[in-house]
Amino acid sequence: MEEPKVHRMEADWLPPVAALAYFEPPPGAHAVAAQYVRIEEKRARYGFRVGGLGLLIDPDAGSEVMAMPAMAVLPGAPPGFAGLINLRGNLAPLYDLRALLGLPQQAGAQPLALVLGQGDDAVGIIIEGHPIALTRLNALNDFPALPDTLAKYVPTGYTQDDTIWLEFDHHTFFGEICAGNNPPPSGIPEIT
């Protein structure tokens, strides 16, 4: 059986960058792009509560909320360290930030686990209820008194509907605890 003949056309292909120079966007495309930019600027921030304190989730941090997972409690661990959780095969520390900061427990609040970061950088925090979408944050002029353990990790704050939401640098806060470079606040064990 004879193989069919294939006719191939030789073409001079332009590099992708050069090919884009020939692209003419359809009418109205610029208006749609400008509208998308305005929508991006109004992107909601998410805040969570711990002991009645409102903290903001870093918009660049991967995060997820889950029902309180099973955890391995470490004997002799101080109250601020709840234990270790299995997060898709990776162990992640789970902290009770409320206890760590000495804040009162809120009556009727449903405890959930908020996991910030991924892989080896993942850390869990016990929070009160689901995070809240915040779209009308206004810069806070007068900072409230904060627990000493938290103060240096809150660079700025905002208000929305008479509620204060604090920017929380969880990377540095938990990084210092886990790295062992600084003594953990309130005697939290170092995780290595």
Side-chain angles (χ1 to χ4, degrees), residues 53 55 104 139 155 165 167:
L53 189 65
L55 300 171
W165 295 96
E167 195 75 57

Side-chain angles (χ1 to χ4, degrees), residues 24 27 35 44 46 55 63 65 99 107-108 116 158 163 167 187-189 191:
E24 184 67 35
Q35 182 181 19
Y46 288 87
L55 300 171
S63 62
V65 177
L116 301 170
Y158 303 91
T163 302
E167 195 75 57
I188 290 183
I191 307 297

Side-chain angles (χ1 to χ4, degrees), residues 89-108:
N90 293 317
L91 287 179
L94 180 67
Y95 291 95
D96 184 350
L97 203 52
R98 182 202 54 78
L100 176 65
L101 299 174
L103 299 171
Q105 183 151 358
Q106 301 297 303

Side-chain angles (χ1 to χ4, degrees), residues 6-70:
V6 177
H7 296 284
R8 297 181 193 250
M9 294 181 64
E10 295 293 322
D12 291 330
W13 293 94
L14 294 174
V17 174
L20 286 175
Y22 289 99
F23 175 71
E24 184 67 35
H30 295 293
V32 171
Q35 182 181 19
Y36 175 75
V37 170
R38 283 193 301 276
I39 290 170
E40 258 318 288
E41 289 172 358
K42 294 180 183 180
R43 181 173 68 165
R45 294 285 309 271
Y46 288 87
F48 62 95
R49 293 202 170 280
V50 171
L53 189 65
L55 300 171
L56 292 171
I57 298 172
D58 179 350
D60 297 326
S63 62
E64 64 181 290
V65 177
M66 63 182 72
M68 284 299 294

Side-chain angles (χ1 to χ4, degrees), residues 28-186:
H30 295 293
V32 171
Q35 182 181 19
Y36 175 75
V37 170
R38 283 193 301 276
I39 290 170
E40 258 318 288
E41 289 172 358
K42 294 180 183 180
R43 181 173 68 165
R45 294 285 309 271
Y46 288 87
F48 62 95
R49 293 202 170 280
V50 171
L53 189 65
L55 300 171
L56 292 171
I57 298 172
D58 179 350
D60 297 326
S63 62
E64 64 181 290
V65 177
M66 63 182 72
M68 284 299 294
M71 70 183 112
V73 178
L74 300 179
F81 182 75
L84 295 172
I85 60 173
N86 182 342
L87 190 62
R88 291 177 292 285
N90 293 317
L91 287 179
L94 180 67
Y95 291 95
D96 184 350
L97 203 52
R98 182 202 54 78
L100 176 65
L101 299 174
L103 299 171
Q105 183 151 358
Q106 301 297 303
Q110 176 191 8
L112 297 170
L114 169 65
V115 178
L116 301 170
Q118 298 174 352
D120 292 340
D121 294 330
V123 63
I125 304 170
I126 298 173
I127 63 172
E128 299 162 357
H130 289 279
I132 301 164
L134 303 163
T135 57
R136 299 180 323 276
L137 292 171
N138 298 307
L140 181 65
N141 295 327
D142 298 319
F143 247 58
L146 298 174
D148 291 339
T149 308
L150 182 65
K152 79 177 197 177
Y153 305 101
V154 176
T156 188
Y158 303 91
T159 61
Q160 179 174 310
D161 301 329
D162 298 325
T163 302
I164 295 175
W165 295 96
L166 303 171
E167 195 75 57
F168 176 47
D169 181 5
H170 78 277
H171 296 287
T172 306
F173 182 84
F174 292 113
E176 288 182 3
I177 291 171
C178 295
N181 296 335
N182 295 319
S186 303

